[in-house]
Amino acid sequence: DAKTTQPTSMDCAEGRAANLPCNHSTISGNEYVYWYRQIHSQGPQYIIHGLKNNETNEMASLIITEDRKSSTLILPHATLRDTAVYYCIALDISNFGNEKLTFGTGTRLTIIP
Amino acid sequence: DGGITQSPKYLFRKEGQNVTLSCEQNLNHDAMYWYRQDPGQGLRLIYYSQIVNDFQKGDIAEGYSVSREKKESFPLTVTSAQKNPTAFYLCASSIRTGGGYGYTFGSGTRLTVV
């Protein structure tokens, strides 16, 4: 699976949009981009995933560049409960049954009141 | 409600003792995983299992053992051979077929060896 690169930490004001970048320049055609977040001392929580097109759900939006070498997770109206470590993961799901999530160190997002 | 249950939440053991961490899921997921997390670090894969009675080593399997006798259960034993066992341990499960909506994680067990 492709390596991803994320900033170590970011701050965002409460109520503003939080934009978390991820670089995955070696991503292959079979690899989806997954985002998870981990609130302190809890298990990671799935947020969103996508392949080529932009995706939106009740939690966030995922914007993937046309060349698929980078993506941005957008939390439209950040709240204090969004303070967490956010992981961007490239996952090859064509290897049915053998795909494994590999977590880097992620981005520590702090929402400022 | 469906989910993954890890128990206990906190566990203390003396050095040299084996300890078993429990992980149970009622999501009817085929695949289950064990991860280890150290302070300030990402998650590292210890073992995973795609079907009952089968499992594979992850990136840091040394000093750990697992079993998968039932679809719902994937216990992890931290043996005395694990040199640095104090950590936060997370269990996860997923639908075996490719893709879908990713993994579901338990709430973790924090193991402290003294």
PDB file of all heavy atoms in Angstrom, chain A residues 26-65:
ATOM      1  N   THR A  26       2.449   8.130  -4.429  1.00  0.00           N
ATOM      2  CA  THR A  26       2.717   6.832  -5.070  1.00  0.00           C
ATOM      3  C   THR A  26       1.484   5.938  -5.097  1.00  0.00           C
ATOM      4  O   THR A  26       1.591   4.732  -5.327  1.00  0.00           O
ATOM      5  CB  THR A  26       3.860   6.102  -4.343  1.00  0.00           C
ATOM      6  OG1 THR A  26       3.459   5.856  -2.985  1.00  0.00           O
ATOM      7  CG2 THR A  26       5.141   6.931  -4.367  1.00  0.00           C
ATOM      8  N   ILE A  27       0.329   6.512  -4.920  1.00  0.00           N
ATOM      9  CA  ILE A  27      -0.890   5.714  -4.837  1.00  0.00           C
ATOM     10  C   ILE A  27      -1.155   4.997  -6.164  1.00  0.00           C
ATOM     11  O   ILE A  27      -0.910   5.547  -7.244  1.00  0.00           O
ATOM     12  CB  ILE A  27      -2.082   6.599  -4.428  1.00  0.00           C
ATOM     13  CG1 ILE A  27      -3.242   5.751  -3.939  1.00  0.00           C
ATOM     14  CG2 ILE A  27      -2.492   7.533  -5.568  1.00  0.00           C
ATOM     15  CD1 ILE A  27      -4.330   6.561  -3.235  1.00  0.00           C
ATOM     16  N   SER A  28      -1.632   3.760  -6.088  1.00  0.00           N
ATOM     17  CA  SER A  28      -1.918   2.989  -7.295  1.00  0.00           C
ATOM     18  C   SER A  28      -3.409   3.080  -7.610  1.00  0.00           C
ATOM     19  O   SER A  28      -4.208   3.546  -6.817  1.00  0.00           O
ATOM     20  CB  SER A  28      -1.519   1.526  -7.097  1.00  0.00           C
ATOM     21  OG  SER A  28      -2.418   0.900  -6.197  1.00  0.00           O
ATOM     22  N   GLY A  29      -3.750   2.590  -8.812  1.00  0.00           N
ATOM     23  CA  GLY A  29      -5.127   2.680  -9.261  1.00  0.00           C
ATOM     24  C   GLY A  29      -6.120   1.917  -8.414  1.00  0.00           C
ATOM     25  O   GLY A  29      -7.308   2.231  -8.401  1.00  0.00           O
ATOM     26  N   ASN A  30      -5.662   0.877  -7.707  1.00  0.00           N
ATOM     27  CA  ASN A  30      -6.547   0.060  -6.884  1.00  0.00           C
ATOM     28  C   ASN A  30      -6.678   0.561  -5.447  1.00  0.00           C
ATOM     29  O   ASN A  30      -7.410  -0.027  -4.656  1.00  0.00           O
ATOM     30  CB  ASN A  30      -6.029  -1.380  -6.817  1.00  0.00           C
ATOM     31  CG  ASN A  30      -6.130  -2.082  -8.156  1.00  0.00           C
ATOM     32  OD1 ASN A  30      -7.053  -1.818  -8.920  1.00  0.00           O
ATOM     33  ND2 ASN A  30      -5.183  -2.953  -8.431  1.00  0.00           N
ATOM     34  N   GLU A  31      -5.949   1.581  -5.101  1.00  0.00           N
ATOM     35  CA  GLU A  31      -5.922   2.017  -3.707  1.00  0.00           C
ATOM     36  C   GLU A  31      -6.928   3.124  -3.437  1.00  0.00           C
ATOM     37  O   GLU A  31      -6.924   4.162  -4.105  1.00  0.00           O
ATOM     38  CB  GLU A  31      -4.513   2.478  -3.320  1.00  0.00           C
ATOM     39  CG  GLU A  31      -3.527   1.321  -3.216  1.00  0.00           C
ATOM     40  CD  GLU A  31      -2.140   1.781  -2.848  1.00  0.00           C
ATOM     41  OE1 GLU A  31      -1.560   2.610  -3.574  1.00  0.00           O
ATOM     42  OE2 GLU A  31      -1.624   1.301  -1.826  1.00  0.00           O
ATOM     43  N   TYR A  32      -7.768   2.865  -2.447  1.00  0.00           N
ATOM     44  CA  TYR A  32      -8.682   3.866  -1.951  1.00  0.00           C
ATOM     45  C   TYR A  32      -7.967   4.715  -0.904  1.00  0.00           C
ATOM     46  O   TYR A  32      -7.030   4.255  -0.249  1.00  0.00           O
ATOM     47  CB  TYR A  32      -9.890   3.211  -1.292  1.00  0.00           C
ATOM     48  CG  TYR A  32     -10.957   2.748  -2.251  1.00  0.00           C
ATOM     49  CD1 TYR A  32     -10.730   1.699  -3.131  1.00  0.00           C
ATOM     50  CD2 TYR A  32     -12.211   3.343  -2.266  1.00  0.00           C
ATOM     51  CE1 TYR A  32     -11.711   1.273  -3.998  1.00  0.00           C
ATOM     52  CE2 TYR A  32     -13.206   2.921  -3.127  1.00  0.00           C
ATOM     53  CZ  TYR A  32     -12.949   1.886  -3.994  1.00  0.00           C
ATOM     54  OH  TYR A  32     -13.928   1.455  -4.854  1.00  0.00           O
ATOM     55  N   VAL A  33      -8.478   5.915  -0.685  1.00  0.00           N
ATOM     56  CA  VAL A  33      -7.999   6.761   0.415  1.00  0.00           C
ATOM     57  C   VAL A  33      -9.031   6.674   1.538  1.00  0.00           C
ATOM     58  O   VAL A  33     -10.208   6.991   1.341  1.00  0.00           O
ATOM     59  CB  VAL A  33      -7.831   8.224  -0.031  1.00  0.00           C
ATOM     60  CG1 VAL A  33      -7.382   9.070   1.159  1.00  0.00           C
ATOM     61  CG2 VAL A  33      -6.824   8.317  -1.169  1.00  0.00           C
ATOM     62  N   TYR A  34      -8.578   6.211   2.693  1.00  0.00           N
ATOM     63  CA  TYR A  34      -9.434   6.101   3.867  1.00  0.00           C
ATOM     64  C   TYR A  34      -8.990   7.128   4.902  1.00  0.00           C
ATOM     65  O   TYR A  34      -7.797   7.399   5.054  1.00  0.00           O
ATOM     66  CB  TYR A  34      -9.310   4.703   4.494  1.00  0.00           C
ATOM     67  CG  TYR A  34     -10.161   3.640   3.873  1.00  0.00           C
ATOM     68  CD1 TYR A  34      -9.794   3.024   2.682  1.00  0.00           C
ATOM     69  CD2 TYR A  34     -11.346   3.218   4.481  1.00  0.00           C
ATOM     70  CE1 TYR A  34     -10.588   2.045   2.107  1.00  0.00           C
ATOM     71  CE2 TYR A  34     -12.129   2.233   3.923  1.00  0.00           C
ATOM     72  CZ  TYR A  34     -11.744   1.651   2.737  1.00  0.00           C
ATOM     73  OH  TYR A  34     -12.532   0.676   2.172  1.00  0.00           O
ATOM     74  N   TRP A  35      -9.969   7.655   5.630  1.00  0.00           N
ATOM     75  CA  TRP A  35      -9.671   8.530   6.768  1.00  0.00           C
ATOM     76  C   TRP A  35     -10.332   7.952   8.016  1.00  0.00           C
ATOM     77  O   TRP A  35     -11.504   7.590   8.002  1.00  0.00           O
ATOM     78  CB  TRP A  35     -10.192   9.949   6.520  1.00  0.00           C
ATOM     79  CG  TRP A  35      -9.335  10.755   5.608  1.00  0.00           C
ATOM     80  CD1 TRP A  35      -9.371  10.769   4.237  1.00  0.00           C
ATOM     81  CD2 TRP A  35      -8.314  11.674   5.977  1.00  0.00           C
ATOM     82  NE1 TRP A  35      -8.427  11.640   3.749  1.00  0.00           N
ATOM     83  CE2 TRP A  35      -7.768  12.216   4.795  1.00  0.00           C
ATOM     84  CE3 TRP A  35      -7.802  12.112   7.206  1.00  0.00           C
ATOM     85  CZ2 TRP A  35      -6.738  13.167   4.787  1.00  0.00           C
ATOM     86  CZ3 TRP A  35      -6.786  13.049   7.201  1.00  0.00           C
ATOM     87  CH2 TRP A  35      -6.263  13.575   6.012  1.00  0.00           C
ATOM     88  N   TYR A  36      -9.519   7.908   9.068  1.00  0.00           N
ATOM     89  CA  TYR A  36      -9.991   7.536  10.388  1.00  0.00           C
ATOM     90  C   TYR A  36      -9.571   8.635  11.365  1.00  0.00           C
ATOM     91  O   TYR A  36      -8.640   9.388  11.099  1.00  0.00           O
ATOM     92  CB  TYR A  36      -9.342   6.218  10.854  1.00  0.00           C
ATOM     93  CG  TYR A  36      -9.955   4.984  10.273  1.00  0.00           C
ATOM     94  CD1 TYR A  36      -9.699   4.615   8.952  1.00  0.00           C
ATOM     95  CD2 TYR A  36     -10.790   4.170  11.025  1.00  0.00           C
ATOM     96  CE1 TYR A  36     -10.266   3.474   8.415  1.00  0.00           C
ATOM     97  CE2 TYR A  36     -11.357   3.034  10.502  1.00  0.00           C
ATOM     98  CZ  TYR A  36     -11.091   2.701   9.190  1.00  0.00           C
ATOM     99  OH  TYR A  36     -11.651   1.569   8.659  1.00  0.00           O
ATOM    100  N   ARG A  37     -10.226   8.669  12.516  1.00  0.00           N
ATOM    101  CA  ARG A  37      -9.753   9.547  13.571  1.00  0.00           C
ATOM    102  C   ARG A  37      -9.770   8.798  14.899  1.00  0.00           C
ATOM    103  O   ARG A  37     -10.540   7.863  15.082  1.00  0.00           O
ATOM    104  CB  ARG A  37     -10.577  10.812  13.680  1.00  0.00           C
ATOM    105  CG  ARG A  37     -11.967  10.643  14.272  1.00  0.00           C
ATOM    106  CD  ARG A  37     -12.663  11.976  14.318  1.00  0.00           C
ATOM    107  NE  ARG A  37     -13.989  11.900  14.911  1.00  0.00           N
ATOM    108  CZ  ARG A  37     -14.813  12.943  15.001  1.00  0.00           C
ATOM    109  NH1 ARG A  37     -14.441  14.125  14.533  1.00  0.00           N
ATOM    110  NH2 ARG A  37     -15.998  12.807  15.560  1.00  0.00           N
ATOM    111  N   GLN A  38      -8.894   9.243  15.797  1.00  0.00           N
ATOM    112  CA  GLN A  38      -8.776   8.600  17.092  1.00  0.00           C
ATOM    113  C   GLN A  38      -8.803   9.677  18.167  1.00  0.00           C
ATOM    114  O   GLN A  38      -7.880  10.500  18.255  1.00  0.00           O
ATOM    115  CB  GLN A  38      -7.483   7.779  17.194  1.00  0.00           C
ATOM    116  CG  GLN A  38      -7.379   6.979  18.470  1.00  0.00           C
ATOM    117  CD  GLN A  38      -6.126   6.139  18.540  1.00  0.00           C
ATOM    118  OE1 GLN A  38      -5.133   6.419  17.876  1.00  0.00           O
ATOM    119  NE2 GLN A  38      -6.160   5.084  19.346  1.00  0.00           N
ATOM    120  N   ILE A  39      -9.874   9.640  18.925  1.00  0.00           N
ATOM    121  CA  ILE A  39      -9.976  10.516  20.078  1.00  0.00           C
ATOM    122  C   ILE A  39      -9.203   9.857  21.206  1.00  0.00           C
ATOM    123  O   ILE A  39      -9.154   8.631  21.305  1.00  0.00           O
ATOM    124  CB  ILE A  39     -11.457  10.749  20.435  1.00  0.00           C
ATOM    125  CG1 ILE A  39     -12.118  11.501  19.275  1.00  0.00           C
ATOM    126  CG2 ILE A  39     -11.616  11.507  21.736  1.00  0.00           C
ATOM    127  CD1 ILE A  39     -13.617  11.597  19.351  1.00  0.00           C
ATOM    128  N   HIS A  40      -8.613  10.658  22.052  1.00  0.00           N
ATOM    129  CA  HIS A  40      -7.669  10.187  23.055  1.00  0.00           C
ATOM    130  C   HIS A  40      -8.153   8.937  23.785  1.00  0.00           C
ATOM    131  O   HIS A  40      -9.261   8.902  24.312  1.00  0.00           O
ATOM    132  CB  HIS A  40      -7.395  11.306  24.056  1.00  0.00           C
ATOM    133  CG  HIS A  40      -6.387  10.935  25.097  1.00  0.00           C
ATOM    134  ND1 HIS A  40      -5.086  10.607  24.782  1.00  0.00           N
ATOM    135  CD2 HIS A  40      -6.487  10.796  26.428  1.00  0.00           C
ATOM    136  CE1 HIS A  40      -4.432  10.317  25.874  1.00  0.00           C
ATOM    137  NE2 HIS A  40      -5.264  10.418  26.891  1.00  0.00           N
ATOM    138  N   SER A  41      -7.294   7.895  23.760  1.00  0.00           N
ATOM    139  CA  SER A  41      -7.531   6.654  24.504  1.00  0.00           C
ATOM    140  C   SER A  41      -8.773   5.892  24.049  1.00  0.00           C
ATOM    141  O   SER A  41      -9.349   5.136  24.822  1.00  0.00           O
ATOM    142  CB  SER A  41      -7.628   6.921  26.010  1.00  0.00           C
ATOM    143  OG  SER A  41      -6.395   7.373  26.489  1.00  0.00           O
ATOM    144  N   GLN A  42      -9.190   6.110  22.797  1.00  0.00           N
ATOM    145  CA  GLN A  42     -10.277   5.311  22.241  1.00  0.00           C
ATOM    146  C   GLN A  42      -9.791   4.603  20.983  1.00  0.00           C
ATOM    147  O   GLN A  42      -8.704   4.884  20.480  1.00  0.00           O
ATOM    148  CB  GLN A  42     -11.475   6.205  21.905  1.00  0.00           C
ATOM    149  CG  GLN A  42     -12.092   6.885  23.113  1.00  0.00           C
ATOM    150  CD  GLN A  42     -13.301   7.709  22.724  1.00  0.00           C
ATOM    151  OE1 GLN A  42     -13.909   7.486  21.688  1.00  0.00           O
ATOM    152  NE2 GLN A  42     -13.654   8.671  23.566  1.00  0.00           N
ATOM    153  N   GLY A  43     -10.597   3.700  20.467  1.00  0.00           N
ATOM    154  CA  GLY A  43     -10.262   3.068  19.208  1.00  0.00           C
ATOM    155  C   GLY A  43     -10.528   4.010  18.043  1.00  0.00           C
ATOM    156  O   GLY A  43     -11.382   4.887  18.122  1.00  0.00           O
ATOM    157  N   PRO A  44      -9.800   3.866  16.933  1.00  0.00           N
ATOM    158  CA  PRO A  44     -10.044   4.716  15.761  1.00  0.00           C
ATOM    159  C   PRO A  44     -11.470   4.564  15.245  1.00  0.00           C
ATOM    160  O   PRO A  44     -12.086   3.500  15.364  1.00  0.00           O
ATOM    161  CB  PRO A  44      -9.025   4.207  14.739  1.00  0.00           C
ATOM    162  CG  PRO A  44      -7.929   3.625  15.558  1.00  0.00           C
ATOM    163  CD  PRO A  44      -8.628   3.011  16.738  1.00  0.00           C
ATOM    164  N   GLN A  45     -11.958   5.636  14.660  1.00  0.00           N
ATOM    165  CA  GLN A  45     -13.322   5.691  14.122  1.00  0.00           C
ATOM    166  C   GLN A  45     -13.250   5.991  12.639  1.00  0.00           C
ATOM    167  O   GLN A  45     -12.555   6.915  12.210  1.00  0.00           O
ATOM    168  CB  GLN A  45     -14.092   6.794  14.854  1.00  0.00           C
ATOM    169  CG  GLN A  45     -15.485   7.056  14.336  1.00  0.00           C
ATOM    170  CD  GLN A  45     -16.072   8.336  14.910  1.00  0.00           C
ATOM    171  OE1 GLN A  45     -15.352   9.236  15.317  1.00  0.00           O
ATOM    172  NE2 GLN A  45     -17.384   8.422  14.940  1.00  0.00           N
ATOM    173  N   TYR A  46     -13.970   5.202  11.846  1.00  0.00           N
ATOM    174  CA  TYR A  46     -14.029   5.448  10.405  1.00  0.00           C
ATOM    175  C   TYR A  46     -14.712   6.787  10.127  1.00  0.00           C
ATOM    176  O   TYR A  46     -15.717   7.126  10.752  1.00  0.00           O
ATOM    177  CB  TYR A  46     -14.802   4.315   9.735  1.00  0.00           C
ATOM    178  CG  TYR A  46     -15.240   4.604   8.326  1.00  0.00           C
ATOM    179  CD1 TYR A  46     -14.361   4.429   7.262  1.00  0.00           C
ATOM    180  CD2 TYR A  46     -16.529   5.057   8.056  1.00  0.00           C
ATOM    181  CE1 TYR A  46     -14.765   4.688   5.957  1.00  0.00           C
ATOM    182  CE2 TYR A  46     -16.933   5.320   6.767  1.00  0.00           C
ATOM    183  CZ  TYR A  46     -16.048   5.138   5.717  1.00  0.00           C
ATOM    184  OH  TYR A  46     -16.448   5.407   4.438  1.00  0.00           O
ATOM    185  N   ILE A  47     -14.150   7.558   9.166  1.00  0.00           N
ATOM    186  CA  ILE A  47     -14.778   8.816   8.785  1.00  0.00           C
ATOM    187  C   ILE A  47     -15.343   8.726   7.372  1.00  0.00           C
ATOM    188  O   ILE A  47     -16.543   8.921   7.151  1.00  0.00           O
ATOM    189  CB  ILE A  47     -13.769   9.994   8.857  1.00  0.00           C
ATOM    190  CG1 ILE A  47     -13.186  10.132  10.257  1.00  0.00           C
ATOM    191  CG2 ILE A  47     -14.451  11.299   8.427  1.00  0.00           C
ATOM    192  CD1 ILE A  47     -12.074  11.167  10.345  1.00  0.00           C
ATOM    193  N   ILE A  48     -14.482   8.435   6.410  1.00  0.00           N
ATOM    194  CA  ILE A  48     -14.889   8.496   5.012  1.00  0.00           C
ATOM    195  C   ILE A  48     -13.827   7.816   4.168  1.00  0.00           C
ATOM    196  O   ILE A  48     -12.682   7.635   4.616  1.00  0.00           O
ATOM    197  CB  ILE A  48     -15.069   9.979   4.592  1.00  0.00           C
ATOM    198  CG1 ILE A  48     -15.916  10.116   3.334  1.00  0.00           C
ATOM    199  CG2 ILE A  48     -13.723  10.672   4.434  1.00  0.00           C
ATOM    200  CD1 ILE A  48     -16.387  11.558   3.078  1.00  0.00           C
ATOM    201  N   HIS A  49     -14.192   7.413   2.960  1.00  0.00           N
ATOM    202  CA  HIS A  49     -13.191   6.911   2.036  1.00  0.00           C
ATOM    203  C   HIS A  49     -13.609   7.246   0.610  1.00  0.00           C
ATOM    204  O   HIS A  49     -14.793   7.530   0.342  1.00  0.00           O
ATOM    205  CB  HIS A  49     -12.955   5.410   2.203  1.00  0.00           C
ATOM    206  CG  HIS A  49     -14.059   4.538   1.670  1.00  0.00           C
ATOM    207  ND1 HIS A  49     -15.256   4.368   2.337  1.00  0.00           N
ATOM    208  CD2 HIS A  49     -14.139   3.759   0.557  1.00  0.00           C
ATOM    209  CE1 HIS A  49     -16.014   3.531   1.646  1.00  0.00           C
ATOM    210  NE2 HIS A  49     -15.370   3.149   0.575  1.00  0.00           N
ATOM    211  N   GLY A  50     -12.640   7.200  -0.311  1.00  0.00           N
ATOM    212  CA  GLY A  50     -12.940   7.494  -1.705  1.00  0.00           C
ATOM    213  C   GLY A  50     -11.853   6.986  -2.626  1.00  0.00           C
ATOM    214  O   GLY A  50     -10.740   6.687  -2.186  1.00  0.00           O
ATOM    215  N   LEU A  51     -12.175   6.908  -3.914  1.00  0.00           N
ATOM    216  CA  LEU A  51     -11.217   6.425  -4.908  1.00  0.00           C
ATOM    217  C   LEU A  51     -10.789   7.561  -5.834  1.00  0.00           C
ATOM    218  O   LEU A  51      -9.625   7.882  -5.940  1.00  0.00           O
ATOM    219  CB  LEU A  51     -11.834   5.302  -5.716  1.00  0.00           C
ATOM    220  CG  LEU A  51     -10.931   4.643  -6.754  1.00  0.00           C
ATOM    221  CD1 LEU A  51      -9.738   3.961  -6.081  1.00  0.00           C
ATOM    222  CD2 LEU A  51     -11.712   3.639  -7.595  1.00  0.00           C
ATOM    223  N   LYS A  52     -11.751   8.144  -6.536  1.00  0.00           N
ATOM    224  CA  LYS A  52     -11.428   9.212  -7.490  1.00  0.00           C
ATOM    225  C   LYS A  52     -12.284  10.447  -7.254  1.00  0.00           C
ATOM    226  O   LYS A  52     -11.803  11.570  -7.274  1.00  0.00           O
ATOM    227  CB  LYS A  52     -11.704   8.740  -8.922  1.00  0.00           C
ATOM    228  CG  LYS A  52     -10.847   7.620  -9.416  1.00  0.00           C
ATOM    229  CD  LYS A  52     -11.238   7.278 -10.856  1.00  0.00           C
ATOM    230  CE  LYS A  52     -10.560   6.008 -11.313  1.00  0.00           C
ATOM    231  NZ  LYS A  52     -11.000   5.627 -12.676  1.00  0.00           N
ATOM    232  N   ASN A  53     -13.568  10.186  -7.047  1.00  0.00           N
ATOM    233  CA  ASN A  53     -14.502  11.299  -6.934  1.00  0.00           C
ATOM    234  C   ASN A  53     -14.503  11.857  -5.523  1.00  0.00           C
ATOM    235  O   ASN A  53     -14.151  11.170  -4.565  1.00  0.00           O
ATOM    236  CB  ASN A  53     -15.910  10.828  -7.283  1.00  0.00           C
ATOM    237  CG  ASN A  53     -15.994  10.290  -8.694  1.00  0.00           C
ATOM    238  OD1 ASN A  53     -15.366  10.812  -9.605  1.00  0.00           O
ATOM    239  ND2 ASN A  53     -16.757   9.218  -8.854  1.00  0.00           N
ATOM    240  N   ASN A  54     -14.917  13.104  -5.414  1.00  0.00           N
ATOM    241  CA  ASN A  54     -15.096  13.691  -4.090  1.00  0.00           C
ATOM    242  C   ASN A  54     -16.263  13.005  -3.393  1.00  0.00           C
ATOM    243  O   ASN A  54     -17.221  12.577  -4.040  1.00  0.00           O
ATOM    244  CB  ASN A  54     -15.343  15.190  -4.224  1.00  0.00           C
ATOM    245  CG  ASN A  54     -14.169  15.900  -4.864  1.00  0.00           C
ATOM    246  OD1 ASN A  54     -13.049  15.400  -4.857  1.00  0.00           O
ATOM    247  ND2 ASN A  54     -14.436  17.058  -5.440  1.00  0.00           N
ATOM    248  N   GLU A  55     -16.155  12.868  -2.101  1.00  0.00           N
ATOM    249  CA  GLU A  55     -17.172  12.176  -1.328  1.00  0.00           C
ATOM    250  C   GLU A  55     -17.600  13.059  -0.159  1.00  0.00           C
ATOM    251  O   GLU A  55     -16.795  13.831   0.373  1.00  0.00           O
ATOM    252  CB  GLU A  55     -16.639  10.848  -0.779  1.00  0.00           C
ATOM    253  CG  GLU A  55     -16.126   9.875  -1.812  1.00  0.00           C
ATOM    254  CD  GLU A  55     -17.243   9.239  -2.639  1.00  0.00           C
ATOM    255  OE1 GLU A  55     -18.412   9.297  -2.200  1.00  0.00           O
ATOM    256  OE2 GLU A  55     -16.947   8.679  -3.709  1.00  0.00           O
ATOM    257  N   THR A  56     -18.850  12.901   0.230  1.00  0.00           N
ATOM    258  CA  THR A  56     -19.375  13.640   1.383  1.00  0.00           C
ATOM    259  C   THR A  56     -20.297  12.726   2.171  1.00  0.00           C
ATOM    260  O   THR A  56     -21.070  11.969   1.591  1.00  0.00           O
ATOM    261  CB  THR A  56     -20.156  14.897   0.944  1.00  0.00           C
ATOM    262  OG1 THR A  56     -19.255  15.794   0.285  1.00  0.00           O
ATOM    263  CG2 THR A  56     -20.773  15.606   2.131  1.00  0.00           C
ATOM    264  N   ASN A  57     -20.187  12.800   3.486  1.00  0.00           N
ATOM    265  CA  ASN A  57     -21.154  12.129   4.347  1.00  0.00           C
ATOM    266  C   ASN A  57     -21.482  13.063   5.499  1.00  0.00           C
ATOM    267  O   ASN A  57     -21.104  14.248   5.493  1.00  0.00           O
ATOM    268  CB  ASN A  57     -20.648  10.755   4.807  1.00  0.00           C
ATOM    269  CG  ASN A  57     -19.396  10.831   5.657  1.00  0.00           C
ATOM    270  OD1 ASN A  57     -19.066  11.863   6.227  1.00  0.00           O
ATOM    271  ND2 ASN A  57     -18.695   9.714   5.731  1.00  0.00           N
ATOM    272  N   GLU A  58     -22.157  12.519   6.499  1.00  0.00           N
ATOM    273  CA  GLU A  58     -22.621  13.383   7.588  1.00  0.00           C
ATOM    274  C   GLU A  58     -21.478  13.891   8.446  1.00  0.00           C
ATOM    275  O   GLU A  58     -21.648  14.842   9.206  1.00  0.00           O
ATOM    276  CB  GLU A  58     -23.649  12.645   8.444  1.00  0.00           C
ATOM    277  CG  GLU A  58     -23.101  11.431   9.178  1.00  0.00           C
ATOM    278  CD  GLU A  58     -23.011  10.185   8.316  1.00  0.00           C
ATOM    279  OE1 GLU A  58     -23.328  10.260   7.103  1.00  0.00           O
ATOM    280  OE2 GLU A  58     -22.614   9.130   8.850  1.00  0.00           O
ATOM    281  N   MET A  59     -20.329  13.282   8.345  1.00  0.00           N
ATOM    282  CA  MET A  59     -19.203  13.697   9.178  1.00  0.00           C
ATOM    283  C   MET A  59     -18.282  14.670   8.456  1.00  0.00           C
ATOM    284  O   MET A  59     -17.748  15.606   9.076  1.00  0.00           O
ATOM    285  CB  MET A  59     -18.370  12.490   9.604  1.00  0.00           C
ATOM    286  CG  MET A  59     -19.017  11.616  10.650  1.00  0.00           C
ATOM    287  SD  MET A  59     -17.933  10.274  11.148  1.00  0.00           S
ATOM    288  CE  MET A  59     -16.670  11.160  12.044  1.00  0.00           C
ATOM    289  N   ALA A  60     -18.010  14.407   7.171  1.00  0.00           N
ATOM    290  CA  ALA A  60     -16.937  15.146   6.512  1.00  0.00           C
ATOM    291  C   ALA A  60     -17.073  15.061   5.004  1.00  0.00           C
ATOM    292  O   ALA A  60     -17.909  14.327   4.473  1.00  0.00           O
ATOM    293  CB  ALA A  60     -15.590  14.554   6.932  1.00  0.00           C
ATOM    294  N   SER A  61     -16.208  15.814   4.337  1.00  0.00           N
ATOM    295  CA  SER A  61     -16.052  15.728   2.883  1.00  0.00           C
ATOM    296  C   SER A  61     -14.615  15.345   2.576  1.00  0.00           C
ATOM    297  O   SER A  61     -13.693  15.717   3.303  1.00  0.00           O
ATOM    298  CB  SER A  61     -16.381  17.062   2.210  1.00  0.00           C
ATOM    299  OG  SER A  61     -17.740  17.384   2.372  1.00  0.00           O
ATOM    300  N   LEU A  62     -14.465  14.609   1.486  1.00  0.00           N
ATOM    301  CA  LEU A  62     -13.141  14.185   1.033  1.00  0.00           C
ATOM    302  C   LEU A  62     -12.942  14.702  -0.380  1.00  0.00           C
ATOM    303  O   LEU A  62     -13.736  14.370  -1.272  1.00  0.00           O
ATOM    304  CB  LEU A  62     -13.020  12.661   1.075  1.00  0.00           C
ATOM    305  CG  LEU A  62     -11.741  12.048   0.513  1.00  0.00           C
ATOM    306  CD1 LEU A  62     -10.515  12.542   1.273  1.00  0.00           C
ATOM    307  CD2 LEU A  62     -11.817  10.525   0.582  1.00  0.00           C
ATOM    308  N   ILE A  63     -11.902  15.496  -0.549  1.00  0.00           N
ATOM    309  CA  ILE A  63     -11.574  16.033  -1.858  1.00  0.00           C
ATOM    310  C   ILE A  63     -10.286  15.359  -2.330  1.00  0.00           C
ATOM    311  O   ILE A  63      -9.251  15.445  -1.648  1.00  0.00           O
ATOM    312  CB  ILE A  63     -11.358  17.560  -1.808  1.00  0.00           C
ATOM    313  CG1 ILE A  63     -12.544  18.244  -1.127  1.00  0.00           C
ATOM    314  CG2 ILE A  63     -11.117  18.119  -3.212  1.00  0.00           C
ATOM    315  CD1 ILE A  63     -13.861  18.069  -1.841  1.00  0.00           C
ATOM    316  N   ILE A  64     -10.347  14.683  -3.477  1.00  0.00           N
ATOM    317  CA  ILE A  64      -9.185  13.989  -4.023  1.00  0.00           C
ATOM    318  C   ILE A  64      -8.778  14.701  -5.315  1.00  0.00           C
ATOM    319  O   ILE A  64      -9.639  14.951  -6.172  1.00  0.00           O
ATOM    320  CB  ILE A  64      -9.504  12.502  -4.313  1.00  0.00           C
ATOM    321  CG1 ILE A  64      -9.984  11.819  -3.024  1.00  0.00           C
ATOM    322  CG2 ILE A  64      -8.272  11.779  -4.872  1.00  0.00           C
ATOM    323  CD1 ILE A  64     -10.452  10.389  -3.228  1.00  0.00           C
ATOM    324  N   THR A  65      -7.500  15.036  -5.447  1.00  0.00           N
ATOM    325  CA  THR A  65      -7.054  15.719  -6.652  1.00  0.00           C
ATOM    326  C   THR A  65      -7.208  14.819  -7.873  1.00  0.00           C
ATOM    327  O   THR A  65      -7.266  13.585  -7.753  1.00  0.00           O
ATOM    328  CB  THR A  65      -5.590  16.158  -6.520  1.00  0.00           C
ATOM    329  OG1 THR A  65      -4.771  15.000  -6.263  1.00  0.00           O
ATOM    330  CG2 THR A  65      -5.424  17.165  -5.394  1.00  0.00           C
TER     331      THR A  65
END
